[in-house]
Amino acid sequence: MQYRRCGNSGIKLSAISLGLWHNFGHVDMLENSRAILKLAFDSGITHFDLANNYGPPPGSAEENFGKILKEDFAGYRDEMIISSKAGYTMWDGPYGDWGSKKYLVSSLDQSLKRMGLDYVDIFYHHRPDPDTPLEETMAALDLIVRQGKALYVGISNYGAPEAARAFEILKGLGTPCLIHQPKYSMFERWVEGGLMDLLGKEGVGCIPFSPLAQGLLTNKYLHGIPADSRVAKPHGFLQEGDVNENRINQISKLNDIALTRNQSLAQMALAWLLKDERVTSVLIGASKPSQLADSLLCLDNISFSEAELNVIETILH
Ligand SMILES: NC(=O)c1ccc[n+]([C@@H]2O[C@H](COP(=O)([O-])OP(=O)(O)OC[C@H]3O[C@@H](n4cnc5c(N)ncnc54)[C@H](OP(=O)(O)O)[C@@H]3O)[C@@H](O)[C@H]2O)c1
């Protein structure tokens, strides 16, 4: 494993982090979730990413993670960076969604109970709230750190201008933003329009989520939709329409380039993100240990020739 410094902070993260959005809920098999987590930690992954609503049902990924932590990771808490978030709908009524101080503080209290933890390492605001003043949401993050319930704070899905304001407010409060979690992959490149430059300039880490575009940037959909894939699952967030002809064309051409690099497409897609030093860690998912084992090998080659980058650009445009 390689470890990279997160922005200007004192914290290093494993270049690959494991997310528990899919495959860790009560609808999934606990023994499979356990095997993925054990392989991750044994391979040097130190960072595990959760949110209040991961499951399904919402909350169940944190519950399962808490159970596995207690049963298999006792004694290893200080070797782990565990994150959670609040920002999407979690419970009924006006206090279980968006970005009020009431929601964030209560939600983290619930998350800590579900995971059986005293604190999380990183607590994120999961998405910008157009109605709550940014000052209130950032003050909630600062309060949570002062309460000892999180060591660091982050934001996710914030565009560059609102992220810049959030960083300024947090700095003023004395709780600098550690990290930003945007969607970023070969197929989703909005961050290149200003956010990456801002993160580099401000010394804030970057952890791209869905770096494999939920599995599209692998070889799995090249010959149809496998029965055990995210697209085929009723609760999966990837839809059949996402696997269209244009995408399959691109995937097939990218797969050919990956083969010339002696990489799987998943490995090349992750390496392509990690070539940028501003990317602290790629936040992957896995539905089986073998996928994680495959993805981990991306670290064997994260450099690209000019010619390779040019061909990739042509395919993506
Ligand atoms: N902040 C946010 O708003 C936000 C939003 C989404 C995600 N996230 C975070 O990002 C994490 C990762 O998201 P993601 O699961 O969408 O990431 P991803 O890495 O893009 O996709 C993971 C999925 O791709 C397939 N896969 C993974 N490795 C493979 C391999 N080597 N070969 C073939 N297929 C492979 C598996 O799907 P199958 O089920 O098809 O096997 C796996 O579940 C989440 O767990 C969460 O922590 C954050």
Side-chain angles (χ1 to χ4, degrees), residues 21 49 51 53-54 85-88 98 124-130 134 138 154-164 166-167 177 179-184 188 190-191 195 199 205-210 283:
W21 179 31
D49 182 77
N53 58 337
Y54 291 175
K85 320 181 189 78
Y88 285 97
W98 294 106
Y124 286 91
H125 187 222
H126 211 157
R127 61 166 164 175
D129 176 349
L134 197 54
M138 295 305 117
I155 56 176
S156 180
N157 298 306
Y158 276 57
E162 52 207 348
F167 297 160
C177 184
I179 195 162
H180 188 299
Q181 188 176 126
K183 193 195 247 188
Y184 185 23
E188 178 71 65
W190 72 270
V191 301
L195 183 70
L199 299 181
C206 176
I207 180 161
F209 74 76
S210 297
L283 179 47

Side-chain angles (χ1 to χ4, degrees), residues 107-300:
S107 179
L108 178 55
D109 284 347
Q110 294 177 19
S111 290
L112 292 174
K113 267 195 205 118
R114 284 192 288 267
M115 292 189 280
L117 294 175
D118 299 326
Y119 70 96
V120 290
D121 296 280
I122 308 171
F123 186 66
Y124 286 91
H125 187 222
H126 211 157
R127 61 166 164 175
D129 176 349
D131 297 324
T132 299
L134 197 54
E135 287 76 8
E136 175 174 338
T137 306
M138 295 305 117
L141 295 180
D142 172 64
L143 172 69
I144 279 164
V145 168
R146 287 176 200 281
Q147 288 176 329
K149 294 175 190 167
L151 298 183
Y152 302 92
V153 299
I155 56 176
S156 180
N157 298 306
Y158 276 57
E162 52 207 348
R165 274 191 60 221
F167 297 160
E168 203 184 317
I169 297 169
L170 283 172
K171 220 184 281 170
L173 291 167
T175 300
C177 184
L178 177 76
I179 195 162
H180 188 299
Q181 188 176 126
K183 193 195 247 188
Y184 185 23
S185 72
M186 280 177 162
F187 286 163
E188 178 71 65
R189 298 175 62 175
W190 72 270
V191 301
E192 293 171 10
L195 183 70
M196 291 308 290
D197 290 340
L198 174 74
L199 299 181
K201 186 172 107 233
E202 293 292 325
V204 173
C206 176
I207 180 161
F209 74 76
S210 297
L212 301 174
Q214 297 201 56
L216 287 177
L217 283 164
T218 70
N219 54 17
K220 74 182 325 148
Y221 294 108
L222 277 177
H223 307 290
I225 294 175
D228 62 350
S229 63
R230 188 174 292 187
V231 169
K233 286 178 187 160
H235 52 271
F237 271 73
L238 193 62
Q239 304 300 316
E240 211 170 320
D242 297 321
V243 192
N244 53 48
E245 206 185 316
N246 180 37
R247 274 286 184 245
I248 293 297
N249 244 323
Q250 288 179 313
I251 294 166
S252 169
K253 287 180 187 157
L254 291 170
N255 192 51
D256 290 343
I257 302 179
L259 292 176
T260 64
R261 290 167 49 87
N262 292 319
Q263 285 186 315
S264 66
L265 176 51
Q267 289 161 11
M268 184 175 83
L270 299 174
W272 184 85
L273 288 169
L274 286 167
K275 70 182 176 355
D276 186 336
E277 285 174 2
R278 294 169 301 185
V279 169
T280 315
S281 179
V282 285
L283 179 47
I284 62 169
S287 67
K288 341 180 154 54
S290 58
Q291 290 178 347
L292 177 59
D294 176 40
S295 298
L296 278 161
L297 292 176
C298 72
L299 295 175
D300 288 350

